[in-house]
Amino acid sequence: MQAKIANPDHPINPLLQQRFSPYAFDPQRTVAPGDIVALFEAARWTMSSYNAQPWRYIVGVKGSADGVWEKIHASLVEGNQPWAANAPVLVIGLVKTVFDHNGKPNIAAEHDLGAASAMLTVEATARGLAVHQMIGIEADKVVATFPLPEHVKPVTALAIGYAGTPDVIPAAYAERDATPRQRLAQADFLL
């Protein structure tokens, strides 16, 4: 599948135009270990409130003997499981909910996780990869499945791989992939 290119009203970086969150991932292509490391290195260098770096990730690679990919897949909501089954890398995004320096709640933690995942996504796009971020996880299942440190909670999931063709996913998801990309006009969100 060819990525859907954004048609912005004003010039932006080409990587941002090329970024696309497909439902269809190529089930025949794997992601090189060096690329996976680079994605999380990009996340590592993200800005954060008080430099707390509250993002945490659980990474599963399909076919690995550790079974993490299968556990993450089972933790997705039912509606995400059919299309995510083709993604060679599945990730759970988590946050540390308190600051180390004072033990107070980090109300910016989820924002910072989103920023880290966005940086990861830009790096993925630069490498020809696609990332589909999703909120549709069963957080209780993640907590029951993985031993998490204190004050760490699951928030999101990411599917990572190479964009595929519509024939590898159910028709309802293929229709979503075929829908033109749209965004609010700046006048709609600049208050």
Side-chain angles (χ1 to χ4, degrees):
M1 168 179 245
Q2 185 152 1
K4 296 191 292 188
I5 305 296
N7 186 19
D9 294 339
H10 305 280
I12 59 173
N13 187 293
L15 287 176
L16 301 177
Q17 284 184 264
Q18 295 164 18
R19 187 217 53 82
F20 169 57
S21 302
Y23 288 94
F25 284 91
D26 186 337
Q28 304 303 315
R29 294 186 73 183
T30 60
V31 178
D35 285 336
I36 295 171
V37 169
L39 300 185
F40 291 98
E41 187 66 11
R44 177 178 170 238
W45 285 98
T46 301
M47 62 288 189
S48 66
S49 177
Y50 289 96
N51 198 29
Q53 303 167 51
W55 50 85
R56 303 292 184 268
Y57 293 100
I58 299 170
V59 182
V61 177
K62 195 172 193 177
S64 293
D66 62 13
V68 173
W69 185 97
E70 290 78 7
K71 292 174 183 175
I72 293 173
H73 187 260
S75 298
L76 302 178
V77 296
E78 187 176 321
N80 284 332
Q81 290 183 6
W83 64 266
N86 290 328
V89 180
L90 290 176
V91 177
I92 296 292
L94 310 96
V95 293
K96 184 170 184 184
T97 60
V98 298
F99 287 111
D100 285 335
H101 70 277
N102 62 13
K104 292 183 178 179
N106 181 351
I107 62 171
E110 291 183 19
H111 170 275
D112 291 351
L113 170 63
S117 295
M119 294 297 223
L120 178 159
T121 299
V122 172
E123 182 66 30
T125 303
R127 293 170 178 270
L129 294 162
V131 178
H132 188 121
Q133 298 185 41
M134 59 193 115
I135 197 76
I137 64 170
E138 294 187 37
D140 291 344
K141 197 176 278 188
V142 174
V143 171
T145 303
F146 297 101
L148 301 179
E150 186 178 19
H151 303 297
V152 172
K153 74 171 190 173
V155 180
T156 62
L158 300 88
I160 303 171
Y162 292 91
T165 55
D167 60 309
V168 300
I169 52 174
Y173 299 103
E175 288 174 24
R176 292 181 193 178
D177 268 357
T179 302
R181 292 176 63 188
Q182 297 178 354
R183 292 293 184 267
L184 294 173
Q186 287 189 29
D188 295 330
F189 67 82
L190 293 176
L191 304 180

